[in-house]
């Protein structure tokens, strides 16, 4: 598929309209804002070269993870991978696992594919779409070994808190997609959001907090430290990791 057609299709398909019984478009509160941004030549080339190999188009039907990756292996899903630095690092360091990344911003998808091409990865697939719709319509129940949500938009203003992706309904959606014993790993550098995540997840049924103190866990080695995070550490910013395991 030509580059411009790939890019246009990705942008237009990020958000699927939802309709009521009378055919009117429904407005759903979303956790992200569409920011198209400009593609660099590196990102454009990666989309052109790698999308046919690693890119997945949104389809409102359940997917077969084994068929997508061409093998049976544990599946790690990352929601909102940004520019893909940590996702590519994890996929490179864990060739025995399959990694599936969802990101709504095309430049980030392009950057991720460029890095994946440089690392010659075969265990990574990416999608440019609303993660909620992907989870609801494409991911089979009990098919994921890990779900990762690193540094989502905290929506600082109180009137915007409803846009935070971590809500009770989202916690149960993730739980449905995890295998028993699978884990939901979150990280944020905004303490009020960390407290919000902890409250939501502590009240969610079917989870066990893997923290010894029922709060936060030390950053596991499995989550790479990004340049953004290192900059925050130099400025004295904290980072909070939470890991909850599906127990039933």
């Amino acid at each position: 598929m030509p580059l411009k057609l790939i890019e246009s299709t990705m942008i237009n398909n990020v958000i699927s309209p939802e309709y009521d019984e009378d055919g009117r478009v429904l407005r759903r509160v979303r956790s992200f804002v569409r920011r198209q941004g400009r593609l660099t030549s590196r990102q454009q080339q990666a989309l052109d070269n790698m999308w046919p190999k690693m890119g997945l188009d949104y389809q409102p039907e359940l997917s077969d993870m084994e068929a997508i990756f061409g093998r049976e292996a544990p599946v790690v899903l990352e929601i909102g991978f940004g520019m893909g630095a940590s996702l590519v690092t994890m996929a490179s360091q864990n060739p025995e696992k399959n990694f599936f990344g969802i990101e709504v911003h095309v430049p980030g998808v392009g950057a991720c594919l460029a890095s994946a091409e440089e690392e010659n990865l075969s265990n990574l697939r990416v999608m440019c779409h609303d993660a909620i719709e992907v989870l609801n319509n494409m991911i089979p129940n009990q098919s994921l070994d890990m779900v990762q949500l690193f540094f989502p938009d905290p929506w600082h203003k109180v009137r915007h808190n409803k846009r935070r992706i971590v809500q009770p309904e989202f916690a149960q959606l993730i739980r449905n997609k995890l295998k028993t014993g699978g884990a939901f790993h979150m990280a944020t550098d905004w303490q009020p959001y960390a407290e919000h995540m902890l409250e939501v997840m502590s009240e969610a049924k079917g989870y066990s907090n893997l923290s010894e103190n029922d709060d936060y866990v030390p950053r596991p080695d499995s989550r790479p430290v990004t340049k953004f995070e290192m900059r925050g550490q130099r400025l004295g910013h904290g980072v909070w990791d939470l890991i909850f395991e599906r127990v039933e």
Side-chain angles (χ1 to χ4, degrees), residues 120-141:
N120 195 30
L121 297 181
S122 61
N123 61 333
L124 175 63
R125 301 291 183 271
V126 299
M127 179 173 285
C128 188
H129 200 78
D130 179 357
I132 301 298
E133 291 185 353
V134 176
L135 285 163
N136 274 317
N137 300 321
M138 292 191 68
I139 306 297
N141 288 344

Side-chain angles (χ1 to χ4, degrees), residues 10-18 28-34 56 58-59 77 79-80 100-105 127-139 165 170 173:
M10 290 169 65
I11 292 173
N12 292 332
N13 287 342
V14 168
I15 303 176
S16 298
E18 299 172 356
R28 176 162 69 81
V29 175
R30 298 188 185 270
S31 61
F32 62 89
V33 175
R34 291 180 69 182
L56 298 175
Y58 173 76
Q59 300 289 339
L77 170 66
I79 297 171
F100 181 16
I102 305 174
E103 174 57 56
V104 296
H105 303 303
M127 179 173 285
C128 188
H129 200 78
D130 179 357
I132 301 298
E133 291 185 353
V134 176
L135 285 163
N136 274 317
N137 300 321
M138 292 191 68
I139 306 297
I165 192 171
F170 181 72
L173 177 59

